[in-house]
Amino acid sequence: MPDSPAGPPTPAVPLPELLGREELGLRRIAGPERADLLWVHTSEMADPYPYLLGGELLLTAGVQLSDADTYVARLVQAGAAALGFGLAPVHDTVPSDLVEACDRHGLPLLEVPPGTRFTAIARAVWRLMAEARHRELRRVTRAQQALATAAARPDPVPAVLHQLAVQLDGRVALLTADGGVLHAAGGHPAPDVRTALARLARVVAPAPPTAGTGPAPGRTPSPSSATDTRGGTHLFAYALGGGQGLALALATPRRDTGDHTVAGIAVVLLSLLTAPHQGADAAGRSAALVRLLLGAAPEDVAPLLGDGGSWTVVHARRTDGAPAGPLNAAALGAALGSALADVDRETVRILLPGPHEAVAPQPGWTLGVSGSVPVTALPDAEGQASRALGHAEATRVPLTTHHPVAGGLSGLVPADRAEAHARALLAPLTEPLAGTLRCWLSLHGNWDRTAVALRIHRNTVRQRIARCAALLDADLDDMDVRTELWFALRDRAPRP
């Protein structure tokens, strides 16, 4: 059969569970005992092959059944999971040649009694799917809690791997790009399984290029995951964040619906927990953080941070408006190459070493990026990133970067005199009013975009701008007034 679309996002229904519904009175009379049902379909066509996706329990009364062997062969070719044959009004018994054909081709055949409607069978399958989905969601939730608890232990990496092995009932290992085992849990697989897992690790997390060589020209990016099988064992490998050649490898006896989700949670946790292995200067940054917490001045700890003291601040929000939890924040930080991530309400804040040119748009996120600043100017970069994020949301672009204006007219005025003038001009305004006015001017007086950028109602924007005009006793429709206010607000105004 041609490639069919993936099944529904619910676990398949095992055939014995459907047969266990006594109210349906179904009876298997031919074919294997086990099958996984993804759909229910009813057809009285002589050849329903073109309309099957694969995985169906096909229900029929045999209205056009003439050649049982060809009929069953076509169903098997289409990927049907089982055949249900309804008794009465067309046939009083299941045709013997159909029973023989199903046995011959290995297709389960169910006898549907006259009192059982096909819609009742479909309803039972959907109900069993819903129940299985709820069980799987509860299982994933319990696994997430268990993995998070393991990550809080004094030995978090081995603890997470052990808990993942328990949840998936298999072998798990943290591998380097050359197949070396850093940590492992959950039994001892056969040599061929270990070899296959090492090969998968090289696929998803190839060794980084040696110093001075750079990436190979035209090299395709590595996939984030890969799968294989050895006998009855399912093999999986997932790349950890950071691009340093670490991979999570799994070998399990089965593959349940929620296993990929559980493994994904472990990948995020392990990416965070292995972050110290993914930066040569991590110890220096940790020391700098400790000194800052103990009261040292930023300029005193800047030499510990490396990269010439150049840092970039990124603010981010989910494009779908969903809350940004700690795991999402950590995953975004790992994607951008930093373990320094924080969540402030719905906004994720990330501190990146190095210049802002390295920041790329991220699927599912809207980003605001500051300019590159020394550690002593991080508060200024925080404001730049916040304003850039508001501008990105207002203009519906995935990323906006703050670009300071070098020179220009503002450079003709000494900084101290410009600062004094700005403070005198803006003195009547509170910080929220000054911030609203600055955002409104940056968006060319657009009410709706300003409301989006500040996450307030457009009427609130109008009220604040009207209040600014009254306090400043200025006509904000006058371009000369707007220009003077913009120069005062751009770099020197209090930030909201």
Side-chain angles (χ1 to χ4, degrees):
M1 180 180 179
D3 292 339
S4 60
T10 57
V13 174
L15 180 58
E17 288 192 19
L18 181 62
L19 294 175
R21 303 300 288 259
E22 296 181 358
E23 72 274 14
L24 297 177
L26 302 178
R27 187 167 64 95
R28 184 183 62 84
I29 59 175
E33 297 180 358
R34 303 198 61 84
D36 291 327
L37 312 178
L38 294 176
W39 329 88
V40 176
H41 183 62
T42 301
S43 175
E44 297 300 336
M45 299 183 66
D47 181 14
Y49 173 98
Y51 302 95
L52 299 183
L53 296 173
E56 294 90 346
L57 167 61
L58 179 66
L59 301 175
T60 182
V63 175
Q64 298 192 54
L65 181 65
S66 57
D67 185 345
D69 189 80
T70 301
Y71 181 83
V72 173
R74 292 285 284 172
L75 294 185
V76 171
Q77 186 182 4
L83 175 63
F85 194 89
L87 301 181
V90 181
H91 297 270
D92 293 330
T93 61
V94 179
S96 59
D97 57 346
L98 182 63
V99 175
E100 294 170 1
C102 287
D103 272 330
R104 187 163 49 252
H105 291 282
L107 181 69
L109 176 61
L110 311 183
E111 180 188 82
V112 181
T116 299
R117 298 182 179 181
F118 286 177
T119 53
I121 298 174
R123 187 182 301 114
V125 171
W126 306 143
R127 185 176 294 114
L128 288 170
M129 281 186 172
E131 292 170 358
R133 180 61 174 166
H134 290 156
R135 288 195 301 270
E136 200 65 30
L137 288 174
R138 288 194 296 269
R139 172 184 171 243
V140 170
T141 300
R142 288 194 299 268
Q144 180 178 7
Q145 294 170 346
L147 290 170
T149 301
R153 290 174 54 90
D155 52 344
V157 172
V160 168
L161 291 174
H162 172 74
Q163 190 56 238
L164 183 61
V166 171
Q167 297 295 329
L168 301 186
D169 188 26
R171 163 81 169 184
V172 301
L174 185 62
L175 305 181
T176 61
D178 59 2
V181 179
L182 295 179
H183 299 282
H188 302 282
D192 62 327
V193 170
R194 292 198 297 269
T195 301
L197 286 176
R199 183 167 59 251
L200 287 183
R202 289 192 291 271
V203 170
V204 301
T210 56
T213 62
R219 179 181 179 181
T220 29
S222 301
S224 59
S225 63
T227 64
D228 197 357
T229 57
R230 280 294 178 275
T233 303
H234 300 268
L235 310 180
F236 308 88
Y238 300 85
L240 299 191
Q244 297 299 314
L246 296 181
L248 173 65
L250 311 173
T252 60
R254 62 182 183 277
R255 183 60 164 172
D256 294 331
T257 306
D259 287 355
H260 180 71
T261 302
V262 174
I265 296 169
V267 167
V268 172
L269 290 172
L270 292 169
S271 295
L272 297 175
L273 295 171
T274 58
H277 299 289
Q278 299 173 357
D281 54 352
R285 293 174 190 167
S286 298
L289 177 60
V290 171
R291 295 188 189 185
L292 283 173
L293 291 174
L294 294 178
E299 55 269 19
D300 294 335
V301 302
L304 295 173
L305 298 175
D307 299 308
S310 175
W311 289 82
T312 300
V313 177
V314 177
H315 280 201
R317 294 194 189 102
R318 294 274 296 270
T319 53
D320 58 5
L327 289 180
N328 285 334
L332 178 61
L336 295 177
S338 174
L340 304 176
D342 181 37
V343 181
D344 182 13
R345 297 180 183 177
E346 71 274 18
T347 302
V348 174
R349 303 184 299 176
I350 298 172
L351 192 58
L352 298 175
H356 59 73
E357 288 81 3
V359 180
Q362 300 295 317
W365 294 90
T366 301
L367 306 181
V369 184
S370 75
S372 300
V373 299
V375 68
T376 53
L378 284 178
D380 292 334
E382 173 86 354
Q384 294 171 7
S386 177
R387 293 193 295 272
L389 175 59
H391 192 277
E393 290 185 320
T395 55
R396 294 183 175 89
V397 297
L399 182 148
T400 295
T401 300
H402 172 83
H403 293 289
V405 180
L409 295 176
S410 60
L412 301 177
V413 182
D416 56 343
R417 294 182 61 184
E419 178 74 21
H421 174 72
R423 290 189 178 278
L425 179 62
L426 303 172
L429 303 184
T430 62
E431 289 190 3
L433 290 178
T436 302
L437 180 59
R438 187 193 188 286
C439 184
W440 182 71
L441 290 174
S442 73
L443 294 170
H444 312 291
N446 187 295
W447 305 106
D448 292 325
R449 288 187 171 184
T450 304
V452 171
L454 297 178
R455 305 175 79 83
I456 59 178
H457 196 275
R458 66 194 307 272
N459 289 342
T460 303
V461 176
R462 289 184 176 274
Q463 293 168 3
R464 289 185 182 180
I465 297 301
R467 182 63 176 160
C468 289
L471 291 174
L472 297 173
D473 191 22
D475 180 8
L476 298 184
D477 291 329
D478 188 311
M479 183 53 67
D480 289 336
V481 173
R482 289 194 182 194
T483 302
E484 184 174 4
L485 287 172
W486 175 248
F487 274 110
L489 285 161
R490 189 180 62 186
D491 295 316
R492 303 175 181 87
R495 293 178 175 81

